[in-house]
């Protein structure tokens, strides 16, 4: 990977800062207001900002220089975070949460769409595995770091670290350049925006495998809301006095599993093939892992299956990103914009549904329901593909429509 890898390390440091900022921002807003309404509003604004800009960011990423979009996103997010150090108030926190969510879409879409151009399409699975491994490490360090630093320094220091991480990322991008491969810089009229979005719809509909992957991904993000609610509840049941400690251990164990899986994928030849099969299989095993460890309070079972779940969850994410990056460069930004939108919409629907459901069912039952729906959906998709008898588990390119499942007349 050469010197290009420094860009990925810088992004990982930025991810660590973002993890710490997320924890601290939620804690600070609740400490300032003593209101769950304000806390929910800040969380909602972060998600809504991403939803509103997901498709739009994809269109922009396919029409302009993606590297410059990432620089703009980093600098603007860094400035918005710095304002919290100078003017700490609930209103400023709410505004910053929206800006971070909205501009985060621009960065993530542009970053994911240009990876094949930066590192070469032949290396993309290896790169995605490396990025997933760094993300797992960043999550562990970020969560544990926020817990430790919050006890010894003022929250402004932690927020400042996040701002610095954004500026560092922008600094690296300013001096590290690659060819701008986006050539579609024609008509900028608002009607062109609609035409660009219609092109995405047409593209997805004529690529049935891509459409099925997106359907499964939507269910996957929906089911993820249940374990994000479930882990804090499980930690509280294990020990009400040390709930934060056990929550950190659970997610830390999950992260270790992800680190190992993303280290293995590029090194084992058969793991570098059959993307579609591996994505569906890893997703099913991830859901089974969450069901098993969130239905127990026996520590060795919880940690064993937390590791198991992290192993397959990060693998599923790696294969998903790799498949989407096989789309044509001219439309890849918009395709990632769709994926980003589905991610946030599925997660939001899950959270909205989880609250009323928990009033009359237990947390383990909620996990069974949500992750069970994902398993059923994947089994249905695989059954459909087998019935068509044209399934291609050697699938490594969504570009080849002749190898895809076409709806029979």
């Amino acid at each position: 990977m050469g010197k290009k890898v420094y860009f990925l390390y810088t992004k990982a440091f930025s991810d660590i800062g973002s993890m710490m900022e997320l924890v601290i921002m939620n804690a600070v807003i609740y400490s300032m207001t003593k209101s769950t309404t304000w806390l929910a509003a800040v969380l909602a604004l972060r998600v809504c900002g991403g939803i509103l800009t997901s498709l739009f960011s994809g269109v922009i990423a396919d029409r302009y220089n993606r590297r410059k979009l990432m620089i703009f996103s980093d600098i603007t997010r860094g400035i918005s975070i710095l304002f919290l150090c100078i003017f700490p108030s609930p209103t400023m926190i709410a505004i910053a949460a929206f800006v971070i969510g909205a501009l985060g879409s621009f960065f993530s879409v542009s970053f994911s769409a240009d990876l094949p151009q930066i590192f070469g399409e032949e290396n993309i699975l290896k790169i995605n595995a490396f990025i997933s491994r760094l993300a797992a490490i960043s999550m562990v360090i970020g969560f544990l770091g926020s817990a430790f630093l919050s006890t010894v320094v003022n929250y402004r220091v932690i927020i400042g670290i996040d701002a610095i991480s954004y500026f560092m990322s922008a600094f690296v991008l300013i001096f590290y350049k690659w060819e701008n491969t986006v050539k579609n810089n024609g008509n900028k009229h608002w009607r062109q925006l609609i035409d660009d979005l219609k092109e995405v719809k047409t593209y997805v509909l004529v690529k049935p495998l891509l459409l099925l992957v997106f359907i499964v991904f939507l269910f996957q993000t929906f089911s993820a809301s249940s374990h994000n609610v479930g882990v804090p509840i499980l930690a509280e049941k294990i020990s009400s006095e040390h709930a934060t400690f056990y929550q950190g251990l659970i997610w830390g164990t999950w992260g270790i599993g992800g680190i190992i899986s993303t280290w293995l994928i590029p090194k084992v030849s058969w793991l570098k093939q059959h993307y579609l099969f591996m994505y569906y299989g890893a997703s099913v095993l991830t859901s089974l892992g969450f069901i098993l460890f969130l239905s127990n309070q026996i520590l060795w079972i919880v940690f064993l299956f937390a590791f198991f779940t992290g192993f397959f969850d990060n693998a599923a994410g790696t294969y998903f990103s790799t498949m989407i990056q096989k789309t044509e460069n001219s439309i890849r930004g918009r395709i990632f914009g769709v994926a980003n939108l589905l991610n946030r919409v599925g997660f939001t629907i899950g959270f909205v549904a989880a609250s009323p459901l928990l009033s009359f069912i237990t947390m383990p039952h909620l996990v069974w329901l949500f992750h069970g729906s994902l398993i059923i959906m994947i089994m249905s998709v695989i059954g459909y593909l087998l019935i068509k008898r044209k399934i291609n588990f050697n699938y490594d390119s969504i570009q080849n429509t002749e190898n895809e499942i076409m709806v029979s007349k």
Side-chain angles (χ1 to χ4, degrees):
M1 290 185 283
K3 294 182 179 179
K4 300 175 184 177
V5 75
Y6 294 125
F7 169 47
L8 300 183
Y9 285 130
T10 306
K11 181 183 179 297
F13 176 65
S14 179
D15 289 342
I16 292 173
S18 297
M19 295 290 179
M20 293 194 295
E21 168 263 311
L22 176 64
V23 174
I24 295 303
M25 186 180 289
N26 291 341
V28 169
I29 190 67
Y30 187 73
S31 175
M32 283 182 174
T33 64
K34 304 299 181 184
S35 169
T36 55
T37 301
W38 267 104
L39 177 60
V42 168
L43 291 171
L45 283 169
R46 188 186 291 260
V47 174
C48 288
I51 291 175
L52 290 175
T53 59
S54 290
L55 290 179
F56 179 65
S57 62
V59 173
I60 298 299
D62 282 341
R63 300 185 68 80
Y64 298 94
N65 189 303
R66 292 168 182 163
R67 183 180 66 88
K68 291 181 179 179
L69 286 174
M70 285 188 272
I71 294 171
F72 168 76
S73 175
D74 276 336
I75 292 176
T76 309
R77 285 184 292 172
I79 292 172
S80 68
I81 289 293
L82 279 182
F83 268 105
L84 294 182
C85 296
I86 304 171
F87 307 107
S89 69
T91 301
M92 281 303 303
I93 291 175
I95 293 172
F98 180 83
V99 171
I100 290 168
L103 292 177
S105 291
F106 281 91
F107 185 94
S108 62
V109 167
S110 299
F111 173 76
S112 298
D114 244 14
L115 279 177
Q117 270 55 57
I118 300 173
F119 295 97
E121 294 193 12
E122 69 280 1
N123 298 316
I124 200 59
L125 179 63
K126 176 183 177 181
I127 294 301
N128 281 322
F130 183 66
I131 292 170
S132 294
R133 185 159 68 253
L134 289 178
I137 295 171
S138 299
M139 189 192 75
V140 175
I141 296 175
F143 281 128
L144 295 180
S146 64
F148 172 73
L149 287 175
S150 63
T151 63
V152 295
V153 299
N154 187 276
Y155 74 89
R156 287 185 175 90
V157 174
I158 300 175
I159 291 176
I161 291 173
D162 186 35
I164 291 172
S165 73
Y166 283 128
F167 293 137
M168 283 185 61
S169 175
F171 180 82
V172 171
L173 284 167
I174 288 171
F175 288 96
Y176 173 63
K177 299 179 181 180
W178 60 91
E179 181 186 1
N180 177 28
T181 56
V182 178
K183 305 298 183 184
N184 186 18
N185 291 315
N187 184 14
K188 299 179 179 65
H189 195 270
W190 66 271
R191 292 183 181 275
Q192 186 62 45
L193 172 64
I194 298 175
D195 291 339
D196 286 346
L197 294 177
K198 286 181 178 178
E199 185 180 353
V200 175
K201 183 191 72 172
T202 302
Y203 186 89
V204 172
L205 291 178
V206 299
K207 309 262 185 195
L209 284 185
L210 179 59
L211 178 61
L212 292 174
V213 166
F214 274 155
I215 291 173
V216 169
F217 182 65
L218 178 61
F219 272 79
Q220 194 173 33
T221 57
F222 167 79
S223 66
S225 61
S226 67
H227 61 253
N228 278 274
V229 171
V231 169
I233 295 175
L234 175 62
E236 181 73 22
K237 288 181 178 179
I238 292 173
S239 173
S240 58
E241 294 182 358
H242 305 286
T244 303
F245 172 74
Y246 281 105
Q247 186 177 341
L249 284 181
I250 290 170
W251 284 122
T253 306
W254 179 94
I256 293 170
I259 292 168
I260 293 176
S261 74
T262 51
W263 176 77
L264 281 175
I265 287 173
K267 297 182 178 296
V268 181
S269 59
W270 64 270
L271 290 177
K272 294 188 287 185
Q273 304 171 9
H274 317 299
Y275 294 170
L276 187 66
F277 174 78
M278 296 301 296
Y279 171 60
Y280 288 154
S283 298
V284 169
L285 291 172
T286 297
S287 288
L288 288 174
F290 276 121
I291 289 171
L292 288 169
F293 90 75
L294 286 168
S295 301
N296 281 278
Q297 295 182 39
I298 302 172
L299 286 181
W300 73 268
I301 294 179
V302 170
F303 291 123
L304 172 64
F305 284 104
F307 174 87
F308 175 91
T309 302
F311 186 95
F312 289 105
D313 195 18
N314 277 271
T318 298
Y319 287 113
F320 175 80
S321 297
T322 302
M323 287 191 293
I324 302 305
Q325 282 161 347
K326 294 292 183 178
T327 54
E328 288 90 343
N329 183 49
S330 61
I331 201 171
R332 193 182 299 139
R334 281 165 286 170
I335 296 300
F336 270 103
V338 172
N340 198 38
L341 177 64
L342 293 176
N343 180 23
R344 295 176 185 271
V345 168
F347 208 69
T348 302
I349 293 173
F351 266 120
V352 170
S355 297
L357 285 172
L358 282 173
S359 63
F360 59 89
I361 64 174
T362 65
M363 180 272 291
H365 288 130
L366 179 74
V367 176
W368 298 350
L369 177 64
F370 281 29
H371 279 282
S373 67
L374 173 60
I375 293 172
I376 292 171
M377 173 53 65
I378 293 175
M379 292 298 102
S380 299
V381 167
I382 292 176
Y384 167 77
L385 295 173
L386 289 173
I387 289 173
K388 291 297 179 180
R389 296 182 180 179
K390 291 184 179 180
I391 189 165
N392 179 15
F393 284 149
N394 289 312
Y395 171 91
D396 64 353
S397 177
I398 295 178
Q399 298 180 38
N400 299 323
T401 56
E402 65 271 17
N403 291 330
E404 298 183 4
I405 309 302
M406 301 303 294
V407 178
S408 58
K409 296 181 180 180

